[in-house]
Amino acid sequence: DTAVSQTPKYLVTQMGNDKSIKCEQNLGHDTMYWYKQDSKKFLKIMFSYNNKELIINETVPNRFSPKSPDKAHLNLHINSLELGDSAVYFCASSQEIRFDNSYEQYFGPGTRLTVT
Amino acid sequence: GQNIDQPTEMTATEGAIVQINCTYQTSGFNGLFWYQQHAGEAPTFLSYNVLDGLEEKGRFSSFLSRSKGYSYLLLKELQMKDSASYLCAVRVSGGSYIPTFGRGTSLIVHP
C-alpha cells in the first residue's frame, strides 16, 4: 500500500498555464506538507496543513495555493506558471508536529514540473 | 533563521566507514533529523536526535552535540546502494516546529 502518493509524477507545461498537483496519504497523519526541491537539491518548505488549517505559509508567491479537502489530501494549485517554477515538488505527511516528539515525515514520490 | 551546513559531496569505498557532518546555528533547538534520498526518489527517514550522544541503528549511527551545534551520520560497512544524498534537518521550538533542511551531502560509494 502506498503511504503518500502524488499525481502526476511528471508535468510538462508552458508558461502562463495553471496546473494542479494532487497528494493523498493513507497513514492517518494530522499534518501534511508541500516542499520544493530545486536543481541544487535544496528541499524548501512551502506549506503545511494541520487538521485542515494552514499553520505555516513560507514566503512563496501567491500564485501557489494549497487546498485541503480533508485530512488525507493536500493539493497544490499553481497559477500563471513561470520558468522558475520548474522543480520537483514533494508532498509529505507526519503526526502532529507542533509539540516535542520525534515524528518523522513521510514523503511522496515527487512531481517533476517542467515549465517551458 | 537557521543556518545548516553540510559538505556538498563525499566519496568512499565499498566496505569502508564514512562520517557525514552537519553543523547548525539556531536558537531554540528542538531536534535534528537525518534523511536519505536516492536520485530521483523521495527522502526517507534515517534517524532523530534531540539529546546529546550517539544513536545507533544497524549500520547507521547518528551523533549530536547541542553545545557545539554539531551532528554527524556514520555509515559503516558501506554498500554501493548507500550512494545517495544525505539530508540534515533541524527543528526549533516555537512557531511551526517544521524541520528546516540543509542542502544535503551527495555520497558516492565506489568499488
Side-chain angles (χ1 to χ4, degrees), chain A residues 2-62:
Chain A
T2 303
V4 182
S5 59
Q6 293 178 230
T7 54
K9 189 167 176 61
Y10 299 95
L11 184 55
V12 180
T13 188
Q14 292 183 329
M15 287 175 55
N17 285 348
D18 302 338
K19 291 293 179 184
S20 292
I21 307 172
K22 295 185 177 181
C23 177
E24 177 181 1
Q25 55 96 3
N26 62 6
L27 298 167
H29 285 163
D30 298 309
T31 308
M32 296 184 71
Y33 315 81
W34 276 107
Y35 284 88
K36 178 181 180 180
Q37 189 169 46
D38 59 25
S39 57
K40 296 185 178 180
K41 309 302 181 186
F42 186 34
L43 199 61
K44 184 175 180 181
I45 183 72
M46 298 179 71
F47 301 105
S48 175
Y49 257 70
N50 178 269
N51 290 327
K52 297 199 292 184
E53 288 186 48
L54 182 66
I55 62 171
I56 184 170
N57 185 346
E58 291 290 331
T59 54
V60 298
N62 57 13

Side-chain angles (χ1 to χ4, degrees), chain B residues 57-68:
Chain B
K57 193 184 294 185
R59 294 190 298 114
F60 293 6
S61 303
S62 57
F63 171 83
L64 176 68
S65 169
R66 288 172 297 171
S67 62
K68 295 182 179 179

Side-chain angles (χ1 to χ4, degrees), chain A residues 34 47-49 54 57 64-68 74-77:
Chain A
W34 276 107
F47 301 105
S48 175
Y49 257 70
L54 182 66
N57 185 346
F64 292 79
S65 55
K67 289 183 170 53
S68 181
L74 182 64
N75 303 324
L76 182 65
H77 189 74

Side-chain angles (χ1 to χ4, degrees), chain A residues 101, chain B residues 28-33 48-51 64 89-93 99:
Chain A
N101 58 59
Chain B
F29 175 82
N30 191 251
L32 185 145
F33 297 81
Y48 171 75
N49 295 70
V50 67
L51 300 176
L64 176 68
V90 174
R91 185 174 66 194
V92 297
S93 57

